[in-house]
Amino acid sequence: MAFWNKKSSEDILLKSLTKDNITVEKENDFYSFTLSFGEYSLYPYFNFDGKALSLMINIRECDSKDINGLLERINAFNTKSPYFVAKLKDDVIYLEYNAVADNDTVIDVFKSSIGSLNNLKADIDTL
């Protein structure tokens, strides 16, 4: 096996997404795509930093006047979510997931994390 033919985890994931008919766009160092849940769509974006895969999804801007109720909903989501962590920064609620992924695991890590969002649709909607 020649070293110059070795594909990166990034290349492997992008090829898999293309094969699954998922259109991925690149802007700066981030890739994004659309994830439709029928009632609403999410726009995850991700990047690679060496062997680390970072997935982020902006959920919505919020009014921090009801901070206690907002923090309760964020904590409830975080208790249920096996992958993503809901966070609040600059009045924006977003989901974040970071994982180590290599060529053998990147597709499974990505699909498992994105797939887990189906089980959390109602919780995401209440965030």
Side-chain angles (χ1 to χ4, degrees):
M1 174 192 249
F3 287 107
W4 57 87
N5 285 334
K6 188 168 182 168
K7 290 189 177 185
S8 69
S9 297
E10 183 175 350
D11 293 335
I12 290 169
L13 179 57
L14 293 173
K15 185 176 180 179
S16 174
L17 293 173
T18 300
K19 181 180 170 188
D20 292 341
N21 293 319
I22 298 172
T23 302
V24 178
E25 297 178 12
K26 184 174 184 180
E27 186 175 325
N28 298 323
D29 291 333
F30 291 92
Y31 296 95
S32 64
F33 62 99
T34 302
L35 184 62
S36 179
F37 285 124
E39 306 86 39
Y40 57 89
S41 294
L42 297 175
Y43 303 94
Y45 53 99
F46 63 95
N47 71 352
F48 289 88
D49 181 17
K51 289 192 175 216
L53 169 66
S54 294
L55 284 156
M56 288 136 303
I57 306 168
N58 293 340
I59 301 298
R60 68 178 176 90
E61 287 186 284
C62 59
D63 185 5
S64 58
K65 291 178 186 172
D66 180 29
I67 193 71
N68 290 332
L70 184 59
L71 292 177
E72 286 177 19
R73 292 191 308 271
I74 288 173
N75 286 336
F77 177 88
N78 290 340
T79 301
K80 293 179 182 179
S81 178
Y83 296 97
F84 287 91
V85 175
K87 296 182 177 184
L88 175 65
K89 183 176 180 181
D90 299 328
D91 291 334
V92 174
I93 299 172
Y94 67 98
L95 306 180
E96 181 177 38
Y97 176 61
N98 297 297
V100 174
D102 60 21
N103 292 4
D104 296 328
T105 62
V106 68
I107 294 171
D108 289 335
V109 167
F110 186 86
K111 288 185 177 183
S112 295
S113 62
I114 293 297
S116 75
L117 295 173
N118 281 322
N119 298 329
L120 298 165
K121 286 191 284 191
D123 298 293
I124 292 169
D125 196 31
T126 62
L127 284 175

